[in-house]
Amino acid sequence: MLAVPALLVLVALVAVPAALLLLAPPLSYVAAAIGALPGIVGLVMAVSLAMLRVDVEEAAVRVQWLTGGRTYALEPGPVTRVRLMGEGASSLRARSGILGWQVGRARLRGDEEVEVVRLARTRTAILVPTDRGRLAIAAASEPELLDALTRAARARKRLEDLVGGEADASGTAEREDGGDDEPPPIEIETPPHILTGIERAMLDEQLARQRFEAEAAARTEAEAAERAAAEAARREAEAAATREAEEAARATEAQAAVGPAAGKRIRHLPSVWFVLLPLLATLGLWGLALAMDRLPAPSTDTGKLTALAFVLAGPATSVGAIMARAWWPRLVGVVVTGGLAAAVFVARSLFGT
């Protein structure tokens, strides 16, 4: 999560001293200010991500960040898991996400608006039904998250039962207060009747017939319930197969619309070391020129132009490569190649052909 902010701070720590040492005022101050911008951006990103947290409260989930927070009330519904990486992964595009972490509004599978809290490139996420729509949480420990959500759901159930019990108690009290309007029920006693032998035989036959009819009705109901369960299972299996086929078709259409190159660009970003290659190359070239006493005097025009060429070919190119890695990954190679080519021209001017 903090790799990119740390890289931006490192670039600023290298660019600011280089600008102050290699350039003369006031050009050095301008270059130092430009070099400090990546460090400021990295610090703001690091603090914002470090202060973000998710708390599962009773009947709600609260997301807090540096300047505020938002509460999501839990709603009845299934808690599901969605795959975000690997085979059969669902697409999750956030409006405010960069380099692996996604926070805020997002679109799941291209058609469902959800809220997402994802601070690393996790393979799965848990979808929780809330009053603001489904909330996607990429937790480091999904069992702990599910356990917390279970406790929250039980607390909400107990609260609902308590409210329902109080309502029943108030209704009972109202009935007791107004019970004088209705007379109590009257029970009529009848004298016992002594059965004769014929009546007893007829009663036994009637009871046996009723028992047989009850058993037949129970068997019929059991068979009907089994048939209904089998039919429901068959319909559910057909609906699940239909949903899977529709999801696969949507995924195929999305991949065909975006293209295989875009999918490869999303899953395979350029390495961080590749982004740092111009910075490392210019540092090595500057050290070699300094050791061989090939650097011109800083006070001369040639020295100023050489220092500016070092800054543009090294730190400035790395910052541009970081920006391209975030928004245009296919242009990272072009930016890095341009910085390396500039470094080659600077080396040719210092050491000759």
Side-chain angles (χ1 to χ4, degrees):
M1 181 180 64
L2 299 178
V4 174
L7 178 62
L8 294 176
V9 172
L10 177 62
V11 171
L13 292 177
V14 173
V16 171
L20 295 176
L21 292 176
L22 299 177
L23 298 178
L27 184 60
S28 61
Y29 300 144
V30 176
I34 296 175
L37 289 178
I40 297 174
V41 174
L43 290 176
V44 172
M45 290 173 58
V47 173
S48 300
L49 293 177
M51 296 294 291
L52 185 65
R53 58 179 297 167
V54 176
D55 295 327
V56 180
E57 304 173 352
E58 291 187 359
V61 177
R62 180 169 178 80
V63 180
Q64 297 178 346
W65 54 83
L66 182 62
T67 58
R70 179 175 294 176
T71 301
Y72 300 86
L74 295 178
E75 293 288 336
V79 177
T80 58
R81 178 186 289 107
V82 61
R83 183 181 297 275
L84 302 177
M85 297 178 63
E87 296 182 359
S90 301
S91 62
L92 181 65
R93 299 182 181 275
R95 297 179 181 177
S96 58
I98 180 174
L99 300 180
W101 57 267
Q102 299 170 318
V103 177
R105 302 291 297 176
R107 186 176 292 274
L108 180 63
R109 302 188 186 95
D111 57 357
E112 181 182 359
E113 290 288 342
V114 299
E115 297 277 345
V116 61
V117 179
R118 188 187 185 202
L119 301 184
R121 294 181 62 82
T122 56
R123 301 183 63 86
T124 59
I126 300 297
L127 292 174
V128 182
T130 67
D131 59 340
R132 298 175 180 269
R134 292 205 291 177
L135 175 63
I137 304 175
S141 177
E142 291 184 353
E144 293 182 3
L145 175 61
L146 295 177
D147 185 60
L149 292 174
T150 302
R151 291 196 300 268
R154 290 175 179 172
R156 176 177 178 175
K157 184 65 169 59
R158 287 195 300 268
L159 181 61
E160 292 177 351
D161 294 341
L162 180 60
V163 174
E166 292 178 353
D168 294 340
S170 61
T172 304
E174 292 177 357
R175 288 194 299 270
E176 290 178 354
D177 294 338
D180 297 333
D181 298 336
E182 297 181 359
I186 300 175
E187 296 181 1
I188 301 176
E189 295 183 0
T190 57
H193 176 67
I194 300 176
L195 298 177
T196 63
I198 297 176
E199 291 177 345
R200 186 178 295 107
M202 294 176 62
L203 180 61
D204 292 339
E205 183 180 0
Q206 182 181 1
L207 293 176
R209 185 170 59 253
Q210 291 178 355
R211 189 164 50 250
F212 176 79
E213 291 175 355
E215 292 176 355
R219 288 195 298 270
T220 303
E221 292 178 357
E223 292 174 357
E226 291 178 356
R227 287 195 298 270
E231 182 68 16
R234 184 182 64 80
R235 292 179 180 178
E236 185 177 358
E238 291 178 355
T242 303
R243 287 195 300 269
E244 292 179 357
E246 291 176 355
E247 292 178 358
R250 285 197 298 267
T252 303
E253 292 175 0
Q255 185 176 3
V258 175
K264 186 176 181 181
R265 181 178 69 247
I266 295 175
R267 292 178 173 81
H268 301 286
L269 293 175
S271 173
V272 175
W273 293 109
F274 184 69
V275 173
L276 290 177
L277 189 59
L279 177 61
L280 299 177
T282 53
L283 287 177
L285 180 61
W286 179 76
L288 182 62
L290 184 63
M292 299 178 63
D293 196 16
R294 291 299 185 93
L295 290 175
S299 59
T300 62
D301 293 338
T302 304
K304 294 178 181 179
L305 292 176
T306 303
L308 180 60
F310 271 115
V311 173
L312 294 178
T317 301
S318 295
V319 172
I322 291 173
M323 297 174 63
R325 189 176 187 268
W327 289 285
W328 305 284
R330 298 178 65 180
L331 298 180
V332 174
V334 178
V335 176
V336 173
T337 303
L340 294 177
V344 170
F345 282 113
V346 173
R348 181 178 178 183
S349 65
L350 291 176
F351 301 104
T353 57

